[in-house]
Amino acid sequence: MKIIDGKAVSLRIKDEIKEKTAKLSESGIIPTLAVIIVGNDPASRVYVNNKKKACEYVGFNSVEYALDESVSRNELLGLIDRLNADSGVDGILCQLPLPKHIDENAVMNAISYEKDVDAFNPINVGRIMSGDFGMLPCTPAGIMELIASTGESVCGKRAVVIGRSNIVGKPTAMLLLNADATVTVCHSKTKNLKDICRQADILIAAVGKAGFVTADMVKEGATVIDVGINRGKDGKLRGDVDFEGVAGKAGYITPVPGGCGPMTIAMLMKNTYNAALRRQNTETCG
Ligand code: GUN
């Protein structure tokens, strides 16, 4: 069994972006990410801080808009309109979840698809469905990079995704399909889950339940990617995979923390860089 080191893979990708950013800066363009956070959710605060730190590392500007929990939908949409129109802003990210009185879909719809570095806008979701990855879905694209880092090909492999969320399960299935895997998506209503999982050469766990995937669900030698981030009562992070049990059976496995988490942010940097590059191309071509 080999552990896939998400920290190392993400660092390699961020270093590549850092190098390219230094070159892009010579033409006067510094990629700029606007980060919106609403309210005081402690987990969101940690994620946003990590995203800002990554921006600093690769040489981007980041501008934070911290809004009060009580902000109205119209105020938030007004801010997004201004950021959409601001030619100095390449990417806009609104950290989820939002307070209950704000419709997240309306907010995702409002962010211009060209600046939608989370790829949550329906235009980008539709593009992903048709195999256009101009904006990468961050966590799924990170998963693909982790699989690629093993050197094993995805083509023709049997991949099973457990979880059908819009952010992870569904777009991950699309990326695996695009890479010529045979893909099955499982969820809470799936019958014979264990039997299906045991057929997987590549098993993606995106369930949201600590230790859900046990050794008896895993084929010998499978690549197991754990997307879960579950905080236990002891305050420790645990993945969706019973790491101790599964590690003895898997060919490759990602740890939690240090697996998928850092990759999501690396892919966010990639999207922001690419958005800035498109700005440069527009500026030079008139
Ligand atoms: N909340 C949890 N994950 C994410 C993410 O990838 N992007 C945003 N914007 N919010 C999140």
Side-chain angles (χ1 to χ4, degrees):
M1 179 277 301
K2 290 189 181 137
I3 294 178
I4 304 176
D5 185 346
K7 261 193 189 163
V9 179
S10 75
L11 190 61
R12 172 177 55 73
I13 292 169
K14 283 190 290 184
D15 281 338
E16 283 167 16
I17 297 170
K18 186 176 182 172
E19 215 178 298
K20 288 190 198 166
T21 300
K23 288 205 183 99
L24 186 62
S25 305
E26 287 168 13
S27 66
I29 290 185
I30 299 176
T32 298
L33 178 65
V35 183
I36 305 171
I37 178 167
V38 182
N40 303 309
D41 180 56
S44 289
R45 174 39 69 195
V46 172
Y47 292 134
V48 162
N49 287 350
N50 287 340
K51 288 169 186 180
K52 283 163 57 187
K53 265 189 224 156
C55 283
E56 200 178 322
Y57 181 82
V58 298
F60 296 176
N61 287 330
S62 68
V63 188
E64 180 180 303
Y65 296 85
L67 306 180
D68 194 82
E69 179 90 26
S70 65
V71 70
S72 73
R73 176 183 187 271
N74 282 350
E75 278 173 285
L76 177 55
L77 294 180
L79 169 62
I80 290 172
D81 276 348
R82 289 196 296 282
L83 295 171
N84 282 339
D86 184 340
S87 61
V89 171
D90 298 296
I92 304 169
L93 177 151
C94 182
Q95 187 66 28
L96 303 178
L98 290 171
K100 287 201 174 60
H101 66 278
I102 300 178
D103 174 12
E104 290 185 351
N105 284 333
V107 173
M108 296 307 122
N109 262 300
I111 296 175
S112 149
Y113 73 92
E114 290 161 306
K115 299 190 178 189
D116 169 38
V117 283
D118 267 321
F120 291 166
N121 178 296
I123 293 178
N124 287 322
V125 175
R127 289 183 166 190
I128 290 162
M129 284 292 291
S130 48
D132 172 351
F133 303 107
M135 277 299 184
L136 299 164
C138 297
T139 301
I143 291 169
M144 297 306 287
E145 290 282 354
L146 291 176
I147 297 171
S149 77
T150 66
E152 307 265 320
S153 166
V154 171
C155 180
K157 295 272 168 63
R158 180 111 204 209
V160 172
V161 181
I162 320 174
R164 55 175 157 177
S165 69
N166 289 335
I167 296 183
V168 183
K170 287 185 210 169
T172 300
M174 284 304 125
L175 292 190
L176 286 162
L177 192 58
N178 190 62
D180 299 321
T182 301
V183 184
T184 304
V185 181
C186 299
H187 46 80
S188 55
K189 304 287 189 297
T190 297
K191 295 205 168 83
N192 305 324
L193 178 70
K194 190 194 287 186
D195 291 341
I196 297 169
C197 291
R198 283 165 70 104
Q199 294 174 30
D201 303 304
I202 299 166
L203 183 61
I204 315 286
V207 195
K209 286 187 184 155
F212 182 85
V213 174
T214 47
D216 57 339
M217 296 165 76
V218 176
K219 177 174 161 178
E220 195 79 44
T223 296
V224 179
I225 307 288
D226 189 348
V227 194
I229 306 177
N230 310 287
R231 200 170 285 280
K233 284 187 187 126
D234 56 4
K236 280 196 183 154
L237 287 186
R238 281 188 71 201
D240 289 348
V241 176
D242 167 26
F243 187 90
E244 304 301 324
V246 171
K249 217 162 172 198
Y252 293 91
I253 186 166
T254 61
V256 176
C260 291
M263 294 305 296
T264 299
I265 296 186
M267 295 299 114
L268 177 72
M269 298 299 110
K270 202 167 182 176
N271 279 339
T272 307
Y273 173 81
N274 285 335
L277 202 60
R278 286 192 283 269
R279 168 154 66 109
Q280 182 202 37
N281 292 338
T282 338
E283 287 190 359
T284 50
C285 300

